Amino acid sequence: MELVFDLGVGDLFTVRSAGNAYSVSNAGSLEYAVISLDVPLIVVMGHSGCGAVDAAWLEGRYENRLGDMLAPIWNAVQTHNKANPDTPGPHHADSIKGAIRAHVYQ
């Protein structure tokens, strides 16, 4: 992330998780950054070739903690597919890009 913004290590407060999936600990980390460190901006970034989006799309629902992590991504994939009923499928590059966008917006 630091390289994207041309900053050094420690110049950004970075929270990373597989698939940028929402979790209570991620939200708490962001709240800490805003409240305690006066962070003025939060950026949520998606990326191409996201393995977590692929896993959610190809496998659907998982159990245990992996399922908890992929649930919001699965919801974004479903939202994308409903809005784009002619989606060619999970192996098509435009489909994955659309699902990633839906996940980031969500």
Side-chain angles (χ1 to χ4, degrees):
M1 182 66 75
E2 289 77 9
L3 295 175
V4 171
F5 291 102
D6 195 26
L7 295 170
V9 174
D11 291 333
L12 297 175
F13 186 93
T14 307
V15 178
R16 294 185 173 118
S17 63
N20 293 334
Y22 174 84
S23 72
V24 172
S25 63
N26 287 353
S29 295
L30 294 173
E31 285 181 12
Y32 168 76
V34 171
I35 293 168
S36 299
L37 303 176
D38 296 321
V39 169
L41 176 68
I42 294 174
V43 177
V44 178
M45 296 181 67
H47 60 92
S48 60
C50 182
V53 173
D54 288 343
W57 194 328
L58 295 174
E59 303 298 329
R61 300 215 181 260
Y62 287 88
E63 296 194 17
N64 303 320
R65 299 289 180 238
L66 182 57
D68 293 343
M69 187 211 51
L70 291 177
I73 302 171
W74 173 251
N75 293 337
V77 168
Q78 295 303 316
T79 298
H80 168 72
N81 288 344
K82 287 178 186 172
N84 302 279
D86 296 329
T87 296
H91 297 292
H92 192 274
D94 289 337
S95 298
I96 292 294
K97 285 179 188 176
I100 290 169
R101 277 192 205 98
H103 175 54
V104 170
Y105 289 131
Q106 183 181 40

